[in-house]
Amino acid sequence: METGSNSDSLAKAETSNGRGNKLGSMLPKIEPFVPKKDQNHNPRELRSWAKRTGFVSHLSGETGTASSTERFDSSTGFHVGKSGRDQRAGGSSPKIEIDPVLGRTRPNMGVEIEMDSGSGSGSRQGRKTVADGNGLGEKVEERKVGLNGNGVENGNGNGKGNGVASVTPLVVEEKDEEGKGGRDVEIGMYPEGEEQGHEGGNGHHPGLKVGLRDNPGLGALIYYGLQHFLSLAGSLIFIPSVMVPAMGGTDKDTASVISTMLLVSGISTILHSYFGTRLPLVQGSSFIYLAPALVIINARDYRNLTEHKFRHIMRELQGAIIVGSIFQSILGFSGLMSLLLRLINPVVVAPTVAAVGLAFFSYGFPQAGSCIEVSVPLLLLVLICTLYLRGISIFGHRLFRIYAVPLSVTITWIYAFFLTAGGAYDYKGCSPDIPSSNILVDECRKHAYTMKHCRADASNAWRTAAWVRIPYPLQWGVPIFHFRTSLIMIIVSLVASVDSQVGTYHSASLLVSSKPPTPGVVSRGIALEGFCSLLAGIWGSGTGSTTLTENTHTINITKMASRRALVFGALFLILFSVVGKVGAILASIPLSLAAAILCFMWALVVAVGLSTLQYTQTASFRNITIVGVSLFLGLSIPTYFQQYQPESILMLPSYFVPYAAASDGPVHTINEQLDFSINALLSMSMVVTLLVAFVLDNTVPGSRDERGVYIWSCAEDVATDPSLQLDYSLPGKFSSLCCRSSCLRA
């Protein structure tokens, strides 16, 4: 910037640019910054002028000192041109031109910083494209651009330069050595709690193969849709393998529950894709509901039931899920979740989600160890696929990373069939019909447990299931409503909202390169998931419906984020649910094999939960203490409640004893229903962890940067950005029926 520049020189610069007439009507008329005649410039005036023009830049990183000629344009903001490279700061300083509007690289320029003028009041985004004179790319680090009173770039790097504005997130586009164009690397900068910016103009992140609103064609949609659901097979089908046998159900009942879960998951995914947050997220039965279901199943009242035990417990679970889903819907539709979002941060989400997986350590390997020759090879195979073979690509697809679970289960299941057919589990005089014929013979009784868990033909679901069976509402009978179980599910539905709806929504929005949803959109998604849990309670799937956290991992690997693909996959899920033999095949998986794969799935849930801490300052002693204390107490306090088991120890298998504390816990009041609820809630790790982390994070002082506060978009961003409207607004006429103030409010 020349020291003596005035309005006449600005007009000449505008004419030379050739853009004044084109862009003058697009931007508001802003008076240029005119320095005083005495040359004593006030840095606050320059900073204020820069904010009014839309250029707010404070790029953190390496700082160089340069002296160059700067030029202003009163219509388009201002442009800073630098010639040559500066060696005075100990390194090269590439050419820089700052253009807040145009978005294209100028010839003979080394670096261009584009400012996104359509980001509204939210965090602004810039793109820095690097290319040297030979067309070759070079890595560019984050830079701090400061302007002193004379308009010269400040190279102090100490944050004391004059005219320094706020930090702007960058996306660095790097070219490979052949100059063929390459990849975009997001540089995350979180100044004072601001979140990383996102691109929304083209509908998807440059790193994605298929974006959120892309339509790659019918064949690709079917393939990608099935890909999403196959990669999540462990979460979708193995929960009934744990619940139904514990409820006293038969193999046929297990097949029916699996079919019901497939139907509810398909319907819920379609509803969420059109009327929820509209992010590409799979809805299904969650492990969050498994622990409270096991607590209710192992209650003292149901231990002595012999006739219709499965149906009675299922009706009890249905009533509790319906009440909890209604509470969750009210939480979303009333807007209360928008207020709660201010208090829920990664420091709360991370230990809570981790506690969900850690809660099943007493069930995992004790059940898998019942047939080590099947479970251990499965665990080794899934680890080899996910860790050692993850970089291998077959026909352009990393099959071992995407399909690690279904591939490992299929291979190990075939191996179990060979063991069974080879006579590894044939005992003289013992029938493969387990356990009805074997418990009557003393010599076979000791082999019944091994045969039940190891034989691949132990299940009779395939022989008894019909080819066509349509799951229908209230198929198990009228739901039973009790205060004690309803209170448990109300608290669990809140944990589900903290887990998937808050953490997963935010993570998924980063992956698809859309700005984070508004609090109103998050509330809408939570309300709809409450409605989907209501459907799960009416149909009788045994658990509520929520967002599967593992789905973000699938999007990150496959780079497929089309919501249309998820809809096609959900349609196939609904089709499979009415084919009774499909559920029967899945129900025939040996229990030891199912338990082994669940060990991996629960461990993955723990890892996904702890990875949420990346949005915080992980080295902060405050955060380390809160996460550590909440996780330790979340495991230790339930152990205290679980030691009061005088009656259940002799009546239940050892892996179910921790879930029987509700009936014999230490809390005793005048109300037995309340006693059951309190003992049950405090015996569940995820509930205790959530309470401890929530209280500590919201009472211990900490900066927004340190806490990693979630930043959500505001309603003004959605109103002014067409790409955000396409991402989150309701489709067609439904958008006009929903008042924007209620659906998209901040």
Side-chain angles (χ1 to χ4, degrees):
M1 181 187 299
E2 295 182 2
T3 308
S5 62
N6 52 29
S7 59
D8 293 334
S9 62
L10 294 174
K12 293 179 181 180
E14 180 182 84
T15 304
S16 63
N17 288 338
R19 297 192 300 257
N21 296 332
K22 296 180 181 179
L23 299 177
S25 59
M26 298 172 56
L27 300 174
K29 185 65 177 179
I30 301 176
E31 294 297 330
F33 174 78
V34 180
K36 297 179 180 180
K37 296 181 180 180
D38 56 1
Q39 306 301 328
N40 294 327
H41 309 310
N42 187 351
R44 294 186 178 180
E45 294 181 7
L46 180 58
R47 180 168 62 248
S48 176
W49 181 90
K51 289 183 177 180
R52 287 188 287 110
T53 55
F55 177 73
V56 182
S57 180
H58 185 172
L59 309 179
S60 62
E62 216 175 341
T63 306
T65 304
S67 60
S68 59
T69 302
E70 317 278 338
R71 59 181 178 180
F72 279 93
D73 189 330
S74 60
S75 298
T76 61
F78 65 82
H79 311 282
V80 182
K82 290 176 62 180
S83 59
R85 297 179 180 269
D86 190 0
Q87 305 294 336
R88 288 175 294 177
S92 63
S93 177
K95 303 175 184 179
I96 296 179
E97 181 172 0
I98 302 173
D99 192 332
V101 177
L102 293 181
R104 58 174 182 264
T105 305
R106 298 185 171 280
N108 300 325
M109 298 302 294
V111 178
E112 180 174 343
I113 301 178
E114 302 171 16
M115 302 308 301
D116 186 0
S117 59
S119 60
S121 60
S123 61
R124 294 178 171 83
Q125 176 194 0
R127 166 170 292 187
K128 181 164 60 178
T129 305
V130 184
D132 59 13
N134 299 324
L136 299 178
E138 60 176 324
K139 183 177 180 181
V140 174
E141 300 180 356
E142 307 166 17
R143 297 183 54 83
K144 180 179 294 184
V145 179
L147 298 178
N148 61 16
N150 297 324
V152 180
E153 183 182 7
N154 189 355
N156 295 332
N158 56 7
K160 299 180 181 179
N162 297 332
V164 176
S166 60
V167 175
T168 305
L170 297 181
V171 175
V172 179
E173 182 178 345
E174 296 184 300
K175 294 186 177 181
D176 55 18
E177 295 182 357
E178 292 79 14
K180 298 180 180 179
R183 54 192 181 91
D184 287 347
V185 181
E186 294 185 1
I187 300 178
M189 292 176 286
Y190 306 97
E192 299 179 359
E194 289 190 4
E195 186 55 80
Q196 183 176 356
H198 311 282
E199 290 187 0
N202 57 359
H204 65 84
H205 189 279
L208 291 178
K209 296 180 181 178
V210 179
L212 180 64
R213 304 188 301 272
D214 289 350
N215 185 4
L218 180 61
L221 288 175
I222 295 175
Y223 171 73
Y224 296 148
L226 291 176
Q227 183 184 67
H228 269 282
F229 287 94
L230 284 175
S231 62
L232 299 174
S235 300
L236 291 173
I237 65 176
F238 285 114
I239 291 180
S241 300
V242 177
M243 289 180 53
V244 177
M247 298 164 66
T250 62
D251 297 329
K252 184 178 180 180
D253 294 329
T254 303
S256 299
V257 174
I258 290 177
S259 298
T260 304
M261 282 189 171
L262 295 179
L263 176 66
V264 174
S265 179
I267 295 175
S268 301
T269 301
I270 294 175
L271 290 176
H272 187 82
S273 297
Y274 283 103
F275 309 111
T277 61
R278 310 204 69 196
L279 291 169
L281 297 173
V282 174
Q283 309 296 306
S285 299
S286 174
F287 293 120
I288 295 176
Y289 290 92
L290 180 57
L294 291 177
V295 169
I296 296 174
I297 291 170
N298 291 285
R300 184 190 305 163
D301 299 345
Y302 306 131
R303 294 174 193 167
N304 297 325
L305 286 180
T306 56
E307 187 176 359
H308 305 298
K309 179 179 179 180
F310 167 75
R311 287 182 174 268
H312 188 85
I313 297 177
M314 179 61 77
R315 291 162 60 199
E316 184 82 32
L317 289 175
Q318 285 182 262
I321 292 171
I322 289 174
V323 174
S325 64
I326 293 175
F327 169 80
Q328 191 175 9
S329 296
I330 295 175
L331 190 67
F333 283 125
S334 65
L336 294 176
M337 195 63 199
S338 299
L339 302 177
L340 191 59
L341 286 177
R342 303 175 183 177
L343 305 176
I344 299 175
N345 299 305
V347 179
V348 178
V349 175
T352 302
V353 178
V356 173
L358 292 174
F360 302 105
F361 72 92
S362 63
Y363 179 90
F365 201 80
Q367 274 286 69
S370 61
C371 188
I372 295 179
E373 58 267 32
V374 174
S375 60
V376 172
L378 175 58
L379 277 174
L380 293 177
L381 186 58
V382 71
L383 289 176
I384 290 173
C385 289
T386 54
L387 298 178
Y388 297 98
L389 302 180
R390 59 178 179 169
I392 298 179
S393 179
I394 301 178
F395 301 111
H397 301 280
R398 296 187 177 181
L399 300 180
F400 296 105
R401 241 180 123 182
I402 301 172
Y403 306 116
V405 171
L407 276 177
S408 302
V409 171
T410 302
I411 294 173
T412 311
W413 199 1
I414 294 174
Y415 162 70
F417 267 110
F418 278 109
L419 289 179
T420 302
Y425 308 112
D426 291 340
Y427 301 98
K428 185 177 181 180
C430 302
S431 171
D433 186 13
I434 303 169
S436 57
S437 63
N438 295 317
I439 60 177
L440 301 177
V441 182
D442 293 337
E443 295 182 0
C444 297
R445 188 179 297 120
K446 60 182 178 180
H447 301 301
Y449 185 80
T450 301
M451 296 174 70
K452 180 179 180 181
H453 289 79
C454 296
R455 290 188 68 96
D457 61 351
S459 174
N460 61 357
W462 172 260
R463 298 188 294 269
T464 59
W467 276 101
V468 177
R469 182 188 181 275
I470 300 177
Y472 55 91
L474 305 180
Q475 56 186 328
W476 314 116
V478 180
I480 300 175
F481 298 93
H482 284 143
F483 170 77
R484 60 179 188 177
T485 55
S486 298
L487 182 59
I488 293 174
M489 284 300 176
I490 287 175
I491 303 300
V492 170
S493 65
L494 181 61
V495 178
S497 300
V498 172
D499 168 26
S500 56
Q501 284 85 351
V502 177
T504 309
Y505 287 176
H506 197 273
S507 300
S509 66
L510 297 179
L511 290 175
V512 301
S513 191
S514 171
K515 289 183 179 179
T518 65
V521 173
V522 175
S523 297
R524 189 178 71 201
I526 291 174
L528 185 66
E529 292 197 11
F531 175 76
C532 293
S533 292
L534 178 64
L535 297 180
I538 294 175
W539 255 269
S541 63
T543 63
S545 179
T546 185
T547 300
L548 297 181
T549 308
E550 304 93 313
N551 191 44
T552 57
H553 177 67
T554 304
I555 297 174
N556 190 31
I557 295 176
T558 62
K559 308 302 179 183
M560 308 298 174
S562 174
R563 66 164 69 105
R564 291 186 179 91
L566 261 68
V567 171
F568 272 84
L571 291 176
F572 275 95
L573 221 61
I574 296 174
L575 177 62
F576 294 151
S577 69
V578 302
V579 181
K581 294 296 184 180
V582 173
I585 293 175
L586 298 176
S588 301
I589 298 176
L591 290 178
S592 59
L593 192 150
I597 202 62
L598 284 175
C599 288
F600 173 78
M601 298 302 301
W602 288 327
L604 189 61
V605 171
V606 176
V608 170
L610 293 178
S611 67
T612 311
L613 291 174
Q614 65 181 308
Y615 302 113
T616 69
Q617 293 182 359
T618 53
S620 168
F621 180 77
R622 172 193 181 275
N623 296 344
I624 293 174
T625 304
I626 292 176
V627 173
V629 169
S630 59
L631 268 179
F632 180 82
L633 294 181
L635 295 176
S636 186
I637 292 178
T639 303
Y640 166 76
F641 279 79
Q642 293 162 8
Q643 68 181 348
Y644 291 88
Q645 313 281 334
E647 298 181 10
S648 60
I649 290 179
L650 301 177
M651 299 177 63
L652 294 174
S654 59
Y655 46 81
F656 281 144
V657 170
Y659 304 102
S663 299
D664 305 303
V667 176
H668 298 285
T669 64
I670 58 176
N671 191 326
E672 293 184 359
Q673 298 276 334
L674 186 60
D675 293 345
F676 184 92
S677 298
I678 296 177
N679 287 321
L681 291 172
L682 294 181
S683 67
M684 288 187 286
S685 299
M686 58 182 178
V687 175
V688 177
T689 302
L690 173 63
L691 292 176
V692 176
F694 183 84
V695 172
L696 291 179
D697 185 53
N698 288 281
T699 55
V700 178
S703 65
R704 292 172 61 87
D705 253 359
E706 187 178 20
R707 300 173 63 191
V709 176
Y710 284 124
I711 301 299
W712 307 98
S713 299
C714 58
E716 290 76 8
D717 292 338
V718 180
T720 57
D721 192 340
S723 64
L724 289 185
Q725 293 181 6
L726 293 174
D727 286 344
Y728 297 119
S729 296
L730 295 175
K733 297 181 180 180
F734 291 96
S735 181
S736 59
L737 294 177
C738 181
C739 179
R740 179 167 298 175
S741 62
S742 60
C743 292
L744 302 175
R745 63 178 177 270

